[in-house]
Amino acid sequence: MKYRRVLLKLSGEALMGDRGFGIDPAVVAGIAQQISEIVRTGIQMAIVVGGGNIFRGVKAAAGGMDRATADYIGMIATIMNAITLQDGLEQIGVPTRVQTAIAMQQVAEPYIRRRAIRHLEKNRVVIFGGGSGNPFFTTDTTAALRAAEIDAEVIFKATQVDGIYDCDPKLNPNAHLYQHLTYSHVLTHNLRVMDGTAIALCRENNIPIVVFNLSVRGNIARAVQGETVGTIVGGQA
């Protein structure tokens, strides 16, 4: 076993499948099954989920909505996704807790670092909803922040492509897939796999990031077991 405690970053879009909006229960069930296979081996897993399948604050702000207001709405969307994923996991017998940075005590625990770590130690999956609780910060930054707080050894960033390329592989079939990059390279070349604040936080705390394709069945397990999957940012080459 390569890792003891990991953080998985899921986009909200990962939950909607081919629907274009909202949540596809079959996709949620598939992701839950993959997570189940990992945690049953004793690996501790925390998850940060985005909300772009329901509401994207940056896009709403560009359309004229107040940015802080738009971001708060987006944070609430992440809580909806977190509860949905919790249900998918518990349907197959995986103990799961949702902790939110925005108080919503009727449906989730408040985020408390020491309690989150205790849940992980008891082999419960912990899903962090509500972003960081602050506008103007992405859920990528939340993932980096929570990973540092809970002493996660690595962040797994689930995407719809095989890793980080030098250009868009959908537009250029000859795009080069990187296997390993430094934090500085990602920042200097503005490779938008995660926002700059998240990358800088990971660099400061020496947390490697593995970027991989979620749509390939079994990729989560292969990445967690230390197989070469996708692109590694930071860590060892």
Side-chain angles (χ1 to χ4, degrees):
M1 186 186 299
K2 184 174 177 63
Y3 300 109
R4 180 183 59 90
R5 181 178 297 163
V6 304
L7 187 140
L8 174 65
K9 170 57 172 64
L10 291 174
S11 67
E13 290 87 346
L15 305 183
M16 69 184 183
D18 297 326
R19 292 191 171 199
F21 178 82
I23 297 167
D24 185 334
V27 170
V28 173
I31 293 172
Q33 186 60 50
Q34 291 191 67
I35 293 169
S36 170
E37 293 166 5
I38 295 165
V39 297
R40 293 189 197 282
T41 68
I43 294 172
Q44 300 172 14
M45 177 174 286
I47 302 169
V48 169
V49 63
N53 57 319
I54 299 171
F55 189 89
R56 184 166 290 281
V58 172
K59 187 174 181 180
M65 181 178 281
D66 175 75
R67 173 63 190 274
T69 299
D71 282 355
Y72 280 119
I73 297 171
M75 285 184 253
I76 293 169
T78 73
I79 298 171
M80 296 169 65
N81 285 338
I83 295 169
T84 300
L85 186 56
Q86 178 187 38
D87 181 74
L89 286 163
E90 294 198 332
Q91 290 279 354
I92 56 175
V94 180
T96 308
R97 299 291 186 272
V98 172
Q99 291 197 346
T100 67
I102 296 175
M104 205 170 287
Q105 63 266 28
Q106 285 83 359
V107 296
E109 298 178 0
Y111 171 65
I112 299 173
R113 173 181 173 268
R114 294 173 71 92
R115 181 179 290 177
I117 291 171
R118 186 62 177 149
H119 287 320
L120 292 169
E121 291 172 344
K122 291 184 176 181
N123 209 33
R124 297 167 180 154
V125 173
V126 179
I127 306 173
F128 298 117
S132 66
N134 300 293
F136 306 103
F137 291 94
T138 68
T139 49
D140 281 345
T141 297
T142 301
L145 176 63
R146 296 290 182 252
E149 288 182 293
I150 66 170
D151 297 321
E153 296 161 280
V154 62
I155 294 173
F156 291 104
K157 163 85 171 180
T159 68
Q160 301 304 310
V161 293
D162 291 331
I164 303 175
Y165 290 82
D166 58 353
C167 58
D168 190 340
K170 295 178 181 178
L171 301 177
N172 182 0
N174 296 316
H176 172 69
L177 174 65
Y178 294 107
Q179 288 199 330
H180 186 273
L181 291 169
T182 64
Y183 304 110
S184 297
H185 183 100
V186 174
L187 290 170
T188 301
H189 292 82
N190 200 28
L191 300 178
R192 295 184 174 275
V193 62
M194 295 178 88
D195 67 86
T197 304
I199 297 294
L201 260 174
C202 288
R203 179 174 61 181
E204 183 176 337
N205 293 281
N206 196 29
I207 303 171
I209 306 159
V210 179
V211 182
F212 70 99
N213 192 336
L214 179 67
S215 62
V216 178
R217 184 71 171 82
N219 255 3
I220 300 176
R222 283 189 285 271
V224 170
Q225 293 296 339
E227 295 183 30
T228 302
V229 177
T231 304
I232 300 174
V233 179
Q236 299 297 316

mmCIF file of all heavy atoms in Angstrom, residues 99-134:
data_model
loop_
_atom_site.group_PDB
_atom_site.id
_atom_site.type_symbol
_atom_site.label_atom_id
_atom_site.label_comp_id
_atom_site.label_asym_id
_atom_site.label_seq_id
_atom_site.Cartn_x
_atom_site.Cartn_y
_atom_site.Cartn_z
ATOM 1 N N GLN A 99 -18.960 17.040 6.147
ATOM 2 C CA GLN A 99 -18.659 18.216 6.961
ATOM 3 C C GLN A 99 -18.689 19.444 6.059
ATOM 4 O O GLN A 99 -18.149 19.425 4.951
ATOM 5 C CB GLN A 99 -17.284 18.087 7.633
ATOM 6 C CG GLN A 99 -17.230 17.023 8.705
ATOM 7 C CD GLN A 99 -16.025 17.186 9.618
ATOM 8 O OE1 GLN A 99 -15.087 17.921 9.337
ATOM 9 N NE2 GLN A 99 -16.067 16.492 10.745
ATOM 10 N N THR A 100 -19.329 20.506 6.539
ATOM 11 C CA THR A 100 -19.475 21.698 5.719
ATOM 12 C C THR A 100 -18.842 22.921 6.371
ATOM 13 O O THR A 100 -18.854 23.056 7.598
ATOM 14 C CB THR A 100 -20.961 22.008 5.456
ATOM 15 O OG1 THR A 100 -21.592 22.371 6.689
ATOM 16 C CG2 THR A 100 -21.667 20.814 4.859
ATOM 17 N N ALA A 101 -18.305 23.778 5.521
ATOM 18 C CA ALA A 101 -17.715 25.028 6.006
ATOM 19 C C ALA A 101 -18.781 26.083 6.240
ATOM 20 O O ALA A 101 -18.513 27.109 6.867
ATOM 21 C CB ALA A 101 -16.683 25.536 4.994
ATOM 22 N N ILE A 102 -19.977 25.856 5.728
ATOM 23 C CA ILE A 102 -21.136 26.717 5.981
ATOM 24 C C ILE A 102 -22.091 25.925 6.863
ATOM 25 O O ILE A 102 -22.474 24.807 6.520
ATOM 26 C CB ILE A 102 -21.824 27.123 4.663
ATOM 27 C CG1 ILE A 102 -20.877 27.971 3.810
ATOM 28 C CG2 ILE A 102 -23.121 27.880 4.936
ATOM 29 C CD1 ILE A 102 -21.418 28.314 2.454
ATOM 30 N N ALA A 103 -22.482 26.470 7.995
ATOM 31 C CA ALA A 103 -23.309 25.730 8.955
ATOM 32 C C ALA A 103 -24.611 25.266 8.316
ATOM 33 O O ALA A 103 -25.363 26.056 7.754
ATOM 34 C CB ALA A 103 -23.599 26.592 10.171
ATOM 35 N N MET A 104 -24.877 23.982 8.425
ATOM 36 C CA MET A 104 -26.098 23.379 7.905
ATOM 37 C C MET A 104 -26.373 22.143 8.757
ATOM 38 O O MET A 104 -26.388 21.014 8.287
ATOM 39 C CB MET A 104 -25.933 23.029 6.425
ATOM 40 C CG MET A 104 -27.233 22.959 5.657
ATOM 41 S SD MET A 104 -26.973 22.840 3.865
ATOM 42 C CE MET A 104 -26.452 24.509 3.477
ATOM 43 N N GLN A 105 -26.547 22.387 10.052
ATOM 44 C CA GLN A 105 -26.491 21.306 11.030
ATOM 45 C C GLN A 105 -27.582 20.260 10.880
ATOM 46 O O GLN A 105 -27.447 19.148 11.376
ATOM 47 C CB GLN A 105 -26.502 21.865 12.465
ATOM 48 C CG GLN A 105 -27.760 22.633 12.832
ATOM 49 C CD GLN A 105 -27.613 24.127 12.601
ATOM 50 O OE1 GLN A 105 -26.851 24.546 11.736
ATOM 51 N NE2 GLN A 105 -28.329 24.931 13.380
ATOM 52 N N GLN A 106 -28.671 20.590 10.193
ATOM 53 C CA GLN A 106 -29.731 19.590 10.013
ATOM 54 C C GLN A 106 -29.318 18.461 9.070
ATOM 55 O O GLN A 106 -29.892 17.368 9.127
ATOM 56 C CB GLN A 106 -31.010 20.245 9.469
ATOM 57 C CG GLN A 106 -31.781 21.047 10.511
ATOM 58 C CD GLN A 106 -31.240 22.464 10.685
ATOM 59 O OE1 GLN A 106 -30.271 22.837 10.025
ATOM 60 N NE2 GLN A 106 -31.869 23.233 11.555
ATOM 61 N N VAL A 107 -28.337 18.715 8.210
ATOM 62 C CA VAL A 107 -27.975 17.710 7.204
ATOM 63 C C VAL A 107 -26.511 17.316 7.236
ATOM 64 O O VAL A 107 -26.128 16.328 6.596
ATOM 65 C CB VAL A 107 -28.340 18.197 5.777
ATOM 66 C CG1 VAL A 107 -29.846 18.354 5.634
ATOM 67 C CG2 VAL A 107 -27.638 19.501 5.437
ATOM 68 N N ALA A 108 -25.675 18.066 7.950
ATOM 69 C CA ALA A 108 -24.245 17.772 7.931
ATOM 70 C C ALA A 108 -23.573 18.339 9.171
ATOM 71 O O ALA A 108 -24.099 19.240 9.832
ATOM 72 C CB ALA A 108 -23.595 18.372 6.676
ATOM 73 N N GLU A 109 -22.401 17.793 9.473
ATOM 74 C CA GLU A 109 -21.606 18.307 10.581
ATOM 75 C C GLU A 109 -20.899 19.596 10.158
ATOM 76 O O GLU A 109 -20.579 19.775 8.974
ATOM 77 C CB GLU A 109 -20.529 17.295 10.980
ATOM 78 C CG GLU A 109 -21.040 15.963 11.464
ATOM 79 C CD GLU A 109 -19.883 15.010 11.780
ATOM 80 O OE1 GLU A 109 -18.697 15.401 11.626
ATOM 81 O OE2 GLU A 109 -20.172 13.866 12.180
ATOM 82 N N PRO A 110 -20.604 20.468 11.098
ATOM 83 C CA PRO A 110 -19.712 21.591 10.775
ATOM 84 C C PRO A 110 -18.298 21.054 10.570
ATOM 85 O O PRO A 110 -17.947 19.991 11.102
ATOM 86 C CB PRO A 110 -19.796 22.472 12.028
ATOM 87 C CG PRO A 110 -20.125 21.515 13.131
ATOM 88 C CD PRO A 110 -21.017 20.474 12.516
ATOM 89 N N TYR A 111 -17.515 21.767 9.781
ATOM 90 C CA TYR A 111 -16.128 21.331 9.592
ATOM 91 C C TYR A 111 -15.331 21.561 10.872
ATOM 92 O O TYR A 111 -15.205 22.690 11.347
ATOM 93 C CB TYR A 111 -15.449 22.070 8.430
ATOM 94 C CG TYR A 111 -13.964 21.778 8.396
ATOM 95 C CD1 TYR A 111 -13.518 20.490 8.130
ATOM 96 C CD2 TYR A 111 -13.020 22.760 8.691
ATOM 97 C CE1 TYR A 111 -12.160 20.192 8.139
ATOM 98 C CE2 TYR A 111 -11.671 22.467 8.691
ATOM 99 C CZ TYR A 111 -11.250 21.183 8.423
ATOM 100 O OH TYR A 111 -9.910 20.887 8.439
ATOM 101 N N ILE A 112 -14.836 20.482 11.438
ATOM 102 C CA ILE A 112 -13.954 20.531 12.605
ATOM 103 C C ILE A 112 -12.775 19.610 12.293
ATOM 104 O O ILE A 112 -12.959 18.402 12.118
ATOM 105 C CB ILE A 112 -14.675 20.066 13.896
ATOM 106 C CG1 ILE A 112 -15.869 20.981 14.196
ATOM 107 C CG2 ILE A 112 -13.698 20.043 15.077
ATOM 108 C CD1 ILE A 112 -16.738 20.502 15.339
ATOM 109 N N ARG A 113 -11.611 20.185 12.208
ATOM 110 C CA ARG A 113 -10.440 19.437 11.761
ATOM 111 C C ARG A 113 -10.215 18.163 12.563
ATOM 112 O O ARG A 113 -10.044 17.073 12.004
ATOM 113 C CB ARG A 113 -9.205 20.335 11.827
ATOM 114 C CG ARG A 113 -7.898 19.600 11.545
ATOM 115 C CD ARG A 113 -6.703 20.531 11.643
ATOM 116 N NE ARG A 113 -5.466 19.780 11.539
ATOM 117 C CZ ARG A 113 -4.796 19.289 12.578
ATOM 118 N NH1 ARG A 113 -5.260 19.481 13.815
ATOM 119 N NH2 ARG A 113 -3.686 18.606 12.404
ATOM 120 N N ARG A 114 -10.198 18.264 13.878
ATOM 121 C CA ARG A 114 -9.883 17.105 14.703
ATOM 122 C C ARG A 114 -10.958 16.020 14.583
ATOM 123 O O ARG A 114 -10.650 14.822 14.613
ATOM 124 C CB ARG A 114 -9.700 17.537 16.164
ATOM 125 C CG ARG A 114 -8.474 18.439 16.361
ATOM 126 C CD ARG A 114 -8.405 18.981 17.773
ATOM 127 N NE ARG A 114 -8.060 17.938 18.735
ATOM 128 C CZ ARG A 114 -6.812 17.646 19.130
ATOM 129 N NH1 ARG A 114 -5.789 18.341 18.630
ATOM 130 N NH2 ARG A 114 -6.582 16.705 19.996
ATOM 131 N N ARG A 115 -12.219 16.446 14.422
ATOM 132 C CA ARG A 115 -13.277 15.456 14.241
ATOM 133 C C ARG A 115 -13.135 14.762 12.892
ATOM 134 O O ARG A 115 -13.362 13.547 12.779
ATOM 135 C CB ARG A 115 -14.643 16.125 14.355
ATOM 136 C CG ARG A 115 -15.809 15.154 14.195
ATOM 137 C CD ARG A 115 -17.149 15.853 14.328
ATOM 138 N NE ARG A 115 -17.401 16.278 15.699
ATOM 139 C CZ ARG A 115 -18.481 16.956 16.068
ATOM 140 N NH1 ARG A 115 -19.381 17.298 15.158
ATOM 141 N NH2 ARG A 115 -18.657 17.295 17.327
ATOM 142 N N ALA A 116 -12.775 15.526 11.868
ATOM 143 C CA ALA A 116 -12.568 14.930 10.544
ATOM 144 C C ALA A 116 -11.475 13.871 10.597
ATOM 145 O O ALA A 116 -11.629 12.768 10.048
ATOM 146 C CB ALA A 116 -12.204 16.022 9.533
ATOM 147 N N ILE A 117 -10.377 14.192 11.263
ATOM 148 C CA ILE A 117 -9.274 13.235 11.370
ATOM 149 C C ILE A 117 -9.719 11.990 12.137
ATOM 150 O O ILE A 117 -9.370 10.852 11.769
ATOM 151 C CB ILE A 117 -8.056 13.897 12.042
ATOM 152 C CG1 ILE A 117 -7.457 14.949 11.098
ATOM 153 C CG2 ILE A 117 -7.005 12.855 12.423
ATOM 154 C CD1 ILE A 117 -6.386 15.812 11.726
ATOM 155 N N ARG A 118 -10.523 12.184 13.181
ATOM 156 C CA ARG A 118 -11.007 11.043 13.950
ATOM 157 C C ARG A 118 -11.904 10.147 13.103
ATOM 158 O O ARG A 118 -11.827 8.918 13.180
ATOM 159 C CB ARG A 118 -11.763 11.535 15.188
ATOM 160 C CG ARG A 118 -12.191 10.417 16.124
ATOM 161 C CD ARG A 118 -10.989 9.683 16.664
ATOM 162 N NE ARG A 118 -11.385 8.649 17.615
ATOM 163 C CZ ARG A 118 -10.728 7.515 17.799
ATOM 164 N NH1 ARG A 118 -9.645 7.258 17.085
ATOM 165 N NH2 ARG A 118 -11.138 6.632 18.688
ATOM 166 N N HIS A 119 -12.757 10.742 12.279
ATOM 167 C CA HIS A 119 -13.577 9.941 11.368
ATOM 168 C C HIS A 119 -12.691 9.113 10.434
ATOM 169 O O HIS A 119 -12.954 7.928 10.200
ATOM 170 C CB HIS A 119 -14.479 10.848 10.520
ATOM 171 C CG HIS A 119 -15.625 11.447 11.263
ATOM 172 N ND1 HIS A 119 -16.362 10.759 12.210
ATOM 173 C CD2 HIS A 119 -16.196 12.679 11.178
ATOM 174 C CE1 HIS A 119 -17.327 11.532 12.676
ATOM 175 N NE2 HIS A 119 -17.248 12.706 12.073
ATOM 176 N N LEU A 120 -11.662 9.731 9.895
ATOM 177 C CA LEU A 120 -10.764 9.022 8.987
ATOM 178 C C LEU A 120 -10.075 7.864 9.702
ATOM 179 O O LEU A 120 -9.937 6.768 9.138
ATOM 180 C CB LEU A 120 -9.722 9.992 8.415
ATOM 181 C CG LEU A 120 -10.271 11.069 7.466
ATOM 182 C CD1 LEU A 120 -9.212 12.126 7.189
ATOM 183 C CD2 LEU A 120 -10.761 10.450 6.166
ATOM 184 N N GLU A 121 -9.658 8.098 10.927
ATOM 185 C CA GLU A 121 -9.003 7.049 11.699
ATOM 186 C C GLU A 121 -9.931 5.862 11.942
ATOM 187 O O GLU A 121 -9.482 4.730 12.115
ATOM 188 C CB GLU A 121 -8.494 7.604 13.027
ATOM 189 C CG GLU A 121 -7.327 8.573 12.864
ATOM 190 C CD GLU A 121 -6.952 9.283 14.161
ATOM 191 O OE1 GLU A 121 -7.776 9.262 15.114
ATOM 192 O OE2 GLU A 121 -5.858 9.866 14.216
ATOM 193 N N LYS A 122 -11.248 6.141 11.954
ATOM 194 C CA LYS A 122 -12.243 5.068 12.114
ATOM 195 C C LYS A 122 -12.686 4.503 10.762
ATOM 196 O O LYS A 122 -13.676 3.773 10.679
ATOM 197 C CB LYS A 122 -13.457 5.609 12.880
ATOM 198 C CG LYS A 122 -13.157 5.919 14.346
ATOM 199 C CD LYS A 122 -14.414 6.356 15.078
ATOM 200 C CE LYS A 122 -14.133 6.571 16.563
ATOM 201 N NZ LYS A 122 -15.353 6.976 17.311
ATOM 202 N N ASN A 123 -11.938 4.850 9.714
ATOM 203 C CA ASN A 123 -12.169 4.358 8.354
ATOM 204 C C ASN A 123 -13.516 4.807 7.784
ATOM 205 O O ASN A 123 -14.149 4.105 7.001
ATOM 206 C CB ASN A 123 -12.055 2.832 8.278
ATOM 207 C CG ASN A 123 -11.580 2.377 6.901
ATOM 208 O OD1 ASN A 123 -10.806 3.069 6.239
ATOM 209 N ND2 ASN A 123 -12.051 1.222 6.464
ATOM 210 N N ARG A 124 -13.948 6.002 8.188
ATOM 211 C CA ARG A 124 -15.113 6.620 7.567
ATOM 212 C C ARG A 124 -14.634 7.550 6.461
ATOM 213 O O ARG A 124 -13.634 8.252 6.623
ATOM 214 C CB ARG A 124 -15.906 7.417 8.593
ATOM 215 C CG ARG A 124 -16.480 6.582 9.726
ATOM 216 C CD ARG A 124 -16.963 7.465 10.851
ATOM 217 N NE ARG A 124 -17.518 6.672 11.961
ATOM 218 C CZ ARG A 124 -17.564 7.087 13.226
ATOM 219 N NH1 ARG A 124 -17.101 8.300 13.538
ATOM 220 N NH2 ARG A 124 -18.068 6.313 14.156
ATOM 221 N N VAL A 125 -15.356 7.573 5.360
ATOM 222 C CA VAL A 125 -15.080 8.557 4.317
ATOM 223 C C VAL A 125 -15.610 9.902 4.795
ATOM 224 O O VAL A 125 -16.722 9.993 5.307
ATOM 225 C CB VAL A 125 -15.751 8.159 2.987
ATOM 226 C CG1 VAL A 125 -15.597 9.272 1.952
ATOM 227 C CG2 VAL A 125 -15.159 6.856 2.459
ATOM 228 N N VAL A 126 -14.810 10.948 4.633
ATOM 229 C CA VAL A 126 -15.236 12.296 5.008
ATOM 230 C C VAL A 126 -15.337 13.139 3.744
ATOM 231 O O VAL A 126 -14.367 13.255 2.988
ATOM 232 C CB VAL A 126 -14.254 12.952 5.998
ATOM 233 C CG1 VAL A 126 -14.729 14.366 6.354
ATOM 234 C CG2 VAL A 126 -14.119 12.110 7.265
ATOM 235 N N ILE A 127 -16.521 13.693 3.510
ATOM 236 C CA ILE A 127 -16.739 14.550 2.345
ATOM 237 C C ILE A 127 -16.850 15.993 2.826
ATOM 238 O O ILE A 127 -17.693 16.304 3.670
ATOM 239 C CB ILE A 127 -18.018 14.160 1.587
ATOM 240 C CG1 ILE A 127 -17.991 12.669 1.219
ATOM 241 C CG2 ILE A 127 -18.163 15.013 0.316
ATOM 242 C CD1 ILE A 127 -19.292 12.168 0.627
ATOM 243 N N PHE A 128 -16.005 16.847 2.297
ATOM 244 C CA PHE A 128 -16.009 18.258 2.670
ATOM 245 C C PHE A 128 -16.853 19.041 1.668
ATOM 246 O O PHE A 128 -16.532 19.117 0.484
ATOM 247 C CB PHE A 128 -14.590 18.817 2.694
ATOM 248 C CG PHE A 128 -13.685 18.151 3.697
ATOM 249 C CD1 PHE A 128 -12.558 17.458 3.283
ATOM 250 C CD2 PHE A 128 -13.971 18.207 5.053
ATOM 251 C CE1 PHE A 128 -11.728 16.849 4.202
ATOM 252 C CE2 PHE A 128 -13.151 17.594 5.985
ATOM 253 C CZ PHE A 128 -12.020 16.902 5.568
ATOM 254 N N GLY A 129 -17.955 19.625 2.138
ATOM 255 C CA GLY A 129 -18.809 20.452 1.301
ATOM 256 C C GLY A 129 -18.715 21.909 1.720
ATOM 257 O O GLY A 129 -18.153 22.245 2.762
ATOM 258 N N GLY A 130 -19.271 22.777 0.905
ATOM 259 C CA GLY A 130 -19.295 24.195 1.241
ATOM 260 C C GLY A 130 -18.009 24.925 0.933
ATOM 261 O O GLY A 130 -17.808 26.052 1.403
ATOM 262 N N GLY A 131 -17.146 24.312 0.126
ATOM 263 C CA GLY A 131 -15.872 24.956 -0.191
ATOM 264 C C GLY A 131 -15.089 25.289 1.059
ATOM 265 O O GLY A 131 -15.115 24.544 2.043
ATOM 266 N N SER A 132 -14.412 26.418 1.036
ATOM 267 C CA SER A 132 -13.655 26.870 2.210
ATOM 268 C C SER A 132 -14.528 27.712 3.138
ATOM 269 O O SER A 132 -14.093 28.101 4.227
ATOM 270 C CB SER A 132 -12.444 27.701 1.772
ATOM 271 O OG SER A 132 -12.878 28.917 1.159
ATOM 272 N N GLY A 133 -15.765 27.988 2.692
ATOM 273 C CA GLY A 133 -16.641 28.871 3.461
ATOM 274 C C GLY A 133 -16.459 30.331 3.112
ATOM 275 O O GLY A 133 -17.136 31.197 3.671
ATOM 276 N N ASN A 134 -15.569 30.610 2.178
ATOM 277 C CA ASN A 134 -15.265 31.994 1.786
ATOM 278 C C ASN A 134 -15.423 32.169 0.285
ATOM 279 O O ASN A 134 -15.011 31.295 -0.486
ATOM 280 C CB ASN A 134 -13.815 32.354 2.165
ATOM 281 C CG ASN A 134 -13.568 32.229 3.646
ATOM 282 O OD1 ASN A 134 -14.108 32.980 4.444
ATOM 283 N ND2 ASN A 134 -12.750 31.247 4.039
#
